[in-house]
């Protein structure tokens, strides 16, 4: 043990400090959070306030991101759009995480037959990447927010469930579970106290990063018309509107796209930083 | 057990898995198509839905009045022959509607994969063993390439190269010049993903003892990286091709939409708008089949190349 001790302490004496980039990303995410909770705080006008006289105005002091062909303020639409893009992505990941935890733990802790069966289910789900899943759901249930969220959530299940299953199996065979069993704890207690928290917590951070990726999927699919639909200012729909006027106005395309990119980038940066920190603590 | 027999069992196992998977996918779509009551008649008939006798006529012409199991068997047999049934809207066989769109999508996907692979290979080979500064810049660039929405990049390329500089057409699909922008758009995220993975693999492989042996024989750095390292990296990169394929499929649907290109994505989305479910289902099944076949082929290739995997196939 004495040989291992110094190596274990090394990461603790040198905690990974957040870089400037991580801090900026975190600050940006706080603004996004504010826009989600109370968009009126960040944007002066509403997302659907039309003003036919001032349509397609270039960005300026009155309209930071310019106006679209109906005279709606692009900045306000981007701010209110977070309520669609970010929230749908978040709900989809929550659904995927819930399904992944339930199915992953069931596969790990049930008998061989259930495990084999569930792994076939995971194979089947992963044969439909999110876009195909969304196409199927839209064909069967009609396009819209519910189809979109469910499809992306389902597509996320297999990869998360497989990780959780693997973790849970490793933990089930660990010494502290054996110790807990020897102490006479009931199986259910062991699952709740040891297996669940240890199998799920590493996946939580991964899920955070998946929110970023899912924003990309959500906005991409609503760009092609499988999202909430008009006049919801979902970021992908904003880009589709921008595409229609792109030959003479660049701002309805450029700014919503920037919102998507910066948000995903910020989530990924902060997520990876947190992941490094957590790993540093464990190793 | 001999290694050859193990290999045979592993191959058989994976092939059986793929067949099972395709059968399950087909069954799932059948249930989806048939279990949603009333929708077919209302799509086909529109405002004439309540005209007497028409609904029955539609049901019998599409074979929906037969027993469920007969329909199911018919559906599976049809799929095996490449017959996806009738379109609800277009008065045509789904196979004809979709078949015409196969080639444009295939061309776009293939061109993008080649471009992405070449880009990633170039970046990986040129940057292997470079300093931490280059490393960090490349890391950010790769992350950007993956994070950038394809539909946005496509629009920006149109803005700059079509409207501004007028180098390439902004929409359409005739000739190579109209393929350039969609191809770049689709290739970028894939190149980012591949390059990220390849560079990680190269860094790992560079620490292997045999690298020192090759070096001591006097091989140049570039030769070491391009000739000796690449086979190792290429094999392990193949195994992440599944992720790449997902990106490619999703990307192709969206890129076709941005650039107004004909293709599977376009026809599937139009079918969603028209509630023409059999057409959407056909596109999804075609792409899923391709996806399953390719991932199975990659699995098999890995199994044949790397004997270590054969033992694990049993565990």
């Amino acid at each position: 043990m004495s040989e291992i001790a110094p190596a274990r302490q090394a990461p603790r004496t040198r905690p990974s400090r957040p870089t400037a980039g991580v801090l900026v990303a975190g600050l940006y995410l706080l603004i996004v959070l504010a826009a989600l909770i109370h968009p009126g705080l960040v944007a002066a006008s509403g997302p659907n306030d039309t003003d036919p006289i001032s349509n397609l105005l270039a960005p300026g002091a009155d309209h930071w991101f310019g106006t679209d062909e109906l005279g709606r303020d692009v900045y306000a639409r981007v701010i209110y759009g977070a309520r669609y893009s970010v929230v749908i992505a978040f709900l989809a990941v929550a659904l995927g995480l819930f399904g992944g935890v339930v199915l992953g733990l069931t596969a790990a802790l049930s008998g061989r037959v259930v495990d084999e069966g569930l792994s076939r289910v995971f194979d089947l789900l992963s044969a439909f990447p999110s876009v195909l899943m969304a196409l199927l759901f839209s064909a069967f249930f009609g396009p819209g927010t519910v189809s979109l969220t469910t499809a992306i959530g389902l597509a996320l299940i297999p990869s998360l469930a497989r990780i959780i299953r693997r973790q849970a199996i490793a933990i089930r065979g660990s010494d502290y579970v054996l110790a807990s069993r020897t102490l006479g704890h009931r199986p259910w207690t062991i699952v709740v106290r040891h297996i669940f928290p240890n199998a799920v917590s590493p996946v939580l951070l991964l899920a955070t990063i998946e929110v970023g990726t899912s924003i990309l999927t959500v906005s991409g699919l609503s760009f092609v018309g499988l999202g909430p639909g008009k006049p919801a200012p979902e970021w992908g729909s904003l880009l589709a509107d921008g595409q229609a006027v792109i030959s003479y106005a660049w701002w309805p395309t450029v700014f919503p796209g920037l919102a998507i990119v910066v948000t995903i980038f910020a989530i990924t940066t902060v997520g990876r930083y947190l992941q490094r920190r957590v790993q540093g603590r464990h190793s | 057990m001999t290694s050859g027999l193990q290999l045979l069992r592993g191959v058989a196992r994976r092939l059986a898995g793929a067949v099972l998977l395709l059968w399950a996918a087909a069954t799932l779509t059948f249930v989806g198509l048939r279990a949603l009551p009333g929708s077919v008649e209302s799509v086909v008939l529109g405002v004439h839905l309540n005209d007497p006798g028409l609904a029955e006529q539609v049901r019998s012409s599409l074979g929906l009045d037969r027993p469920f199991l007969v329909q199911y068997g018919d559906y599976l047999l049809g799929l095996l022959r490449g017959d996806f049934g009738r379109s609800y809207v277009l008065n045509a066989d789904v196979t004809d509607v979709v078949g015409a769109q196969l080639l444009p999508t295939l061309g776009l996907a293939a061109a993008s994969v080649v471009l992405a692979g070449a880009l990633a290979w170039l970046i990986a080979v040129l940057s292997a063993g470079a300093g931490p500064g280059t490393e960090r810049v490349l890391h950010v660039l790769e992350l950007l390439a993956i994070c950038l929405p394809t539909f946005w990049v496509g629009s920006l390329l149109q803005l700059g190269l079509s409207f501004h500089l007028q180098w390439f057409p902004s929409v359409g699909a005739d000739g190579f010049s109209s393929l350039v922008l969609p191809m770049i758009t689709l290739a970028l995220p894939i190149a980012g993903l591949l390059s990220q993975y390849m560079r990680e693999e190269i860094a790992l492989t560079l620490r292997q003892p045999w690298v020192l042996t090759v070096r001591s024989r006097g091989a140049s750095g570039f030769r070491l990286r391009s000739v000796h390292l690449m086979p190792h990296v290429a094999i392990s990169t193949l195994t992440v091709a599944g992720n790449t394929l997902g990106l490619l499929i999703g990307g192709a649907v969206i890129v076709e939409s941005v650039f107004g290109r004909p293709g599977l994505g376009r026809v599937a989305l139009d079918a969603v708008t028209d509630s023409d479910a059999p057409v959407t289902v056909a596109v999804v099944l075609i792409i899923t089949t391709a996806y399953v076949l390719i991932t199975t082929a990659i699995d098999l290739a890995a199994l044949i190349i790397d004997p270590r995997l054969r033992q694990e196939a049993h565990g």
Side-chain angles (χ1 to χ4, degrees):
Chain A
M1 276 311 268
S2 58
E3 280 172 20
I4 304 168
R8 277 214 173 153
Q9 266 164 9
R12 261 184 221 158
T13 53
R14 190 166 40 84
S16 57
R17 282 175 187 288
T19 58
V22 172
L23 287 177
V24 171
L27 203 67
Y28 172 82
L29 289 181
L30 283 181
I31 298 174
V32 173
L33 199 65
L36 283 177
I37 297 167
H38 200 308
L41 213 67
V42 198
S45 53
N48 293 317
D49 298 353
T50 53
D51 183 2
I53 304 164
S54 50
N55 66 335
L56 287 176
L57 284 182
D62 284 343
H63 303 284
W64 292 354
F65 293 177
T67 60
D68 69 5
E69 76 278 18
L70 295 176
R72 294 175 295 192
D73 184 57
V74 176
Y75 174 72
R77 287 180 71 68
V78 168
I79 295 293
Y80 279 86
R83 283 200 157 169
Y84 293 88
S85 310
V86 179
V87 170
I88 293 175
F90 186 83
L91 287 178
V93 171
L95 177 67
L97 194 60
F98 178 76
V101 168
V102 171
L103 295 179
L105 286 183
T106 309
L109 303 175
S110 307
R112 204 189 162 91
V113 179
V114 176
D115 190 15
E116 275 283 318
L118 279 177
S119 89
R120 293 288 165 215
V121 172
F122 299 154
D123 285 348
L124 178 64
L125 283 176
S126 55
F128 298 102
S130 51
V131 170
L132 292 188
M133 198 72 98
L135 277 174
L136 268 189
F137 269 78
S138 305
F140 293 150
F141 305 106
T145 310
V146 177
S147 290
L148 184 64
T149 315
T150 319
I152 298 177
L154 275 183
L156 282 171
I157 288 180
S159 63
L160 293 174
R162 284 193 186 117
I163 299 172
I164 290 170
R165 172 184 169 274
R166 214 178 311 131
Q167 293 269 357
I169 286 177
I171 294 161
R172 193 185 55 186
S174 69
D175 289 346
Y176 57 82
V177 168
L178 183 67
S180 182
R181 209 175 283 162
T182 323
L183 285 171
H185 291 153
R186 274 168 306 180
W188 189 242
T189 317
I190 295 174
V191 169
V192 172
R193 285 243 298 261
H194 298 296
I195 298 184
F196 178 78
N198 285 304
V200 174
S201 57
V203 183
L204 281 180
L205 276 174
L206 185 72
T208 316
I209 296 176
E210 286 294 350
V211 173
T213 326
S214 297
I215 290 177
L216 204 60
T217 319
V218 168
S219 51
L221 286 167
S222 60
F223 176 85
V224 296
L226 301 183
K230 286 178 182 186
E234 199 285 331
W235 290 342
S237 317
L238 291 187
L239 277 170
D241 291 348
Q243 173 93 19
V245 294
I246 195 173
S247 52
Y248 43 92
W250 54 267
W251 50 94
T253 294
V254 168
F255 290 113
L258 271 178
I260 297 175
V261 175
V262 175
T263 306
I264 298 169
F265 212 67
I267 292 176
T268 312
T269 310
V270 172
R272 286 198 177 173
Y273 165 73
L274 291 176
Q275 229 172 13
R276 273 199 307 276
R277 271 196 78 127
V278 171
Q279 275 165 2
R281 215 177 342 143
H282 285 316
S283 55
Chain B
M1 201 188 308
T2 63
S3 178
L5 205 59
Q6 272 180 347
L7 176 64
L8 217 61
R9 286 191 98 182
V11 169
R13 235 178 95 107
R14 275 178 177 68
L15 284 180
V19 170
L20 194 72
L21 202 58
L22 290 175
W23 167 74
T27 305
L28 209 67
T29 55
F30 174 78
V31 171
L33 280 173
R34 293 290 183 274
L36 300 168
S39 58
V40 179
E41 296 92 320
S42 71
V43 168
V44 176
L45 293 173
V47 289
H48 300 290
L49 179 59
N50 291 322
D51 291 9
L54 278 186
E56 286 70 32
Q57 210 178 315
V58 167
R59 296 186 69 79
S60 77
S61 78
L62 288 171
L64 300 180
D65 50 355
R66 294 171 303 160
F68 203 67
L69 274 179
V70 174
Q71 290 185 44
Y72 176 56
D74 210 41
Y75 181 78
L76 286 186
L77 284 177
L79 289 184
L80 281 179
R81 284 183 278 116
D83 174 9
F84 291 93
R86 290 287 283 183
S87 157
Y88 293 165
V89 179
L90 295 171
N91 190 27
D93 280 334
V94 173
T95 309
D96 295 335
V97 176
V98 171
Q101 310 296 329
L102 211 54
L103 221 55
T105 300
L106 222 57
L108 173 64
S112 305
V113 165
V114 170
L115 179 66
L119 261 177
W121 182 81
L122 207 68
I123 294 171
V125 167
L126 291 179
S127 73
T134 324
E135 188 83 4
R136 201 164 299 160
V137 170
L138 280 176
H139 182 74
V140 171
L141 284 181
E142 285 160 358
L143 204 60
L144 259 180
I146 298 169
C147 289
L148 284 176
T150 41
F151 45 104
W152 191 53
V153 174
S155 298
L156 291 184
L157 286 176
Q158 281 178 337
L159 198 64
L161 302 183
S162 303
F163 297 119
H164 230 63
L165 298 173
Q166 310 212 321
W167 285 355
F168 303 103
S170 65
V171 292
D174 38 47
F176 182 72
S177 71
S178 68
L179 184 65
V180 173
L181 294 186
M183 178 177 77
I184 296 174
T185 310
L186 190 50
L188 271 181
I190 300 169
L193 195 78
L194 284 180
S195 149
Q196 205 175 39
Y197 189 80
M198 278 180 166
R199 291 195 306 111
E200 246 164 60
E201 276 302 299
I202 288 182
L204 279 179
T205 318
L206 275 177
R207 280 184 230 137
Q208 300 275 328
W210 58 260
V211 170
L212 192 67
T213 318
V214 175
R215 278 238 165 96
S216 64
R217 271 194 262 131
S220 72
F222 183 79
R223 191 185 149 74
L224 171 76
R225 280 177 264 144
S226 56
V227 178
H228 293 277
L229 282 182
M230 279 338 267
H232 287 260
V233 175
I235 289 168
S236 50
T237 306
L238 259 186
T239 57
V240 290
N243 291 339
T244 321
L245 272 177
L247 272 180
L248 187 69
I249 293 165
V253 171
I254 289 162
V255 166
E256 280 172 8
S257 198
V258 174
F259 292 96
R261 290 176 61 83
L264 289 179
R266 197 59 259 157
V267 83
L269 287 170
D270 288 347
V272 167
T273 316
D274 299 340
S275 310
D276 198 357
V279 174
T280 315
V281 163
V283 170
V284 171
L285 276 182
I286 288 173
I287 300 179
T288 298
T289 306
Y291 185 79
V292 170
L293 290 182
I294 293 174
T295 43
T296 307
I298 290 169
D299 258 15
L300 291 182
L303 203 67
I304 291 165
I305 293 167
D306 192 343
R308 286 171 300 183
L309 292 175
R310 292 174 208 168
Q311 260 100 36
E312 286 166 27
H314 291 281

